[in-house]
Amino acid sequence: MLLGLIALGLVGYAAWRIVDGIADPEGRGTKAKGIALRIGSVGRGVIHLALAYSAVKLALWQQTKESGSTQVEWTAKVMKWPGGVYILWAVAGGLLGYGGWQLYKAFKAKLAKQLDLGSCSSGTRRWLVGISRFGIAARGIVIGTVGILLGRAASHHNPSEAGGTKKSLHELFELGRWPFLAIALGLIAYGVYELVEARYRRIRVE
């Protein structure tokens, strides 16, 4: 039942991202930057649809795989394609770029443009924005680490070096207990940020 609820939530998020990219309710426009953001939004929607499918399949048939094996399998398949290594490098670069953009967003973006916090007290606003920035930064680090893993797999022609979030967290654990704890708390903060977005996100309705 919990997996079913998670799948429904993922489908809802995917639908929102696809609508966001196509209908552009946030007014990103048709310039290069706006188009890139809208395409990225649709891409995130497709990825979350795939995650929803996996959750449904797991809920109905209770099939499990070793965590990280899917990334390794797909990396191995892509490596066999003509120019597959270059494709992996491109994807790794995209993940690193997105992780870097998340870090930039954490420290420089004006979150007040995205969040309608006018009904909150000034102290609450500061706390919510601070927690959101902390969470976005942690997520950027994790995504960037996934990109590094994929780039390393492409460089060494070794699919087993690729991995998803779990493997990236194992890599980050090598930094030490306290840095890893900070990243873990940051991911919790990102979950809080998503809840804040669900409540206070500015959405233009015409």
Side-chain angles (χ1 to χ4, degrees):
M1 288 179 65
L2 287 174
L3 281 170
L5 289 173
I6 290 170
L8 285 174
L10 288 169
V11 169
Y13 185 78
W16 154 243
R17 282 301 172 191
I18 292 172
V19 169
D20 180 38
I22 295 174
D24 193 25
E26 297 185 344
R28 295 189 178 104
T30 56
K31 293 183 178 180
K33 180 181 178 181
I35 291 174
L37 290 172
R38 291 168 67 182
I39 291 173
S41 185
V42 172
R44 289 163 70 183
V46 172
I47 290 170
H48 282 81
L49 278 178
L51 291 173
Y53 170 75
S54 297
V56 169
K57 187 168 66 173
L58 185 61
L60 294 179
W61 295 288
Q62 298 183 356
Q63 295 175 351
T64 61
K65 285 187 176 182
E66 182 183 352
S67 181
S69 63
T70 301
Q71 292 88 351
V72 172
E73 289 173 4
W74 275 103
T75 302
K77 288 179 181 179
V78 174
M79 277 189 180
K80 294 178 182 178
W81 297 351
V85 172
Y86 299 105
I87 295 174
L88 292 176
W89 272 115
V91 174
L95 289 169
L96 279 169
Y98 185 73
W101 180 76
Q102 289 279 280
L103 289 172
Y104 171 82
K105 180 180 177 181
F107 293 102
K108 294 292 186 179
K110 296 180 179 179
L111 297 181
K113 289 184 176 180
Q114 300 176 358
L115 303 174
D116 184 8
L117 301 176
S119 60
C120 301
S121 67
S122 59
T124 301
R125 284 198 298 271
R126 284 195 296 271
W127 272 101
L128 291 178
V129 170
I131 291 171
S132 298
R133 291 188 186 280
F134 181 38
I136 293 168
R139 183 172 184 257
I141 291 171
V142 173
I143 291 175
T145 304
V146 174
I148 291 172
L149 290 172
L150 186 57
R152 193 166 68 188
S155 177
H156 297 164
H157 295 269
N158 184 3
S160 66
E161 294 191 35
T165 302
K166 183 177 180 180
K167 191 167 184 178
S168 72
L169 290 174
H170 278 291
E171 291 289 318
L172 291 168
F173 186 74
E174 299 299 322
L175 296 175
R177 179 176 298 175
W178 295 111
F180 182 77
L181 178 61
I183 292 170
L185 290 174
L187 292 176
I188 294 173
Y190 186 79
V192 174
Y193 165 65
E194 289 289 2
L195 292 174
V196 171
E197 272 210 315
R199 171 62 179 85
Y200 295 107
R201 180 82 179 199
R202 292 181 187 272
I203 300 175
R204 186 181 66 188
V205 180
E206 295 181 351

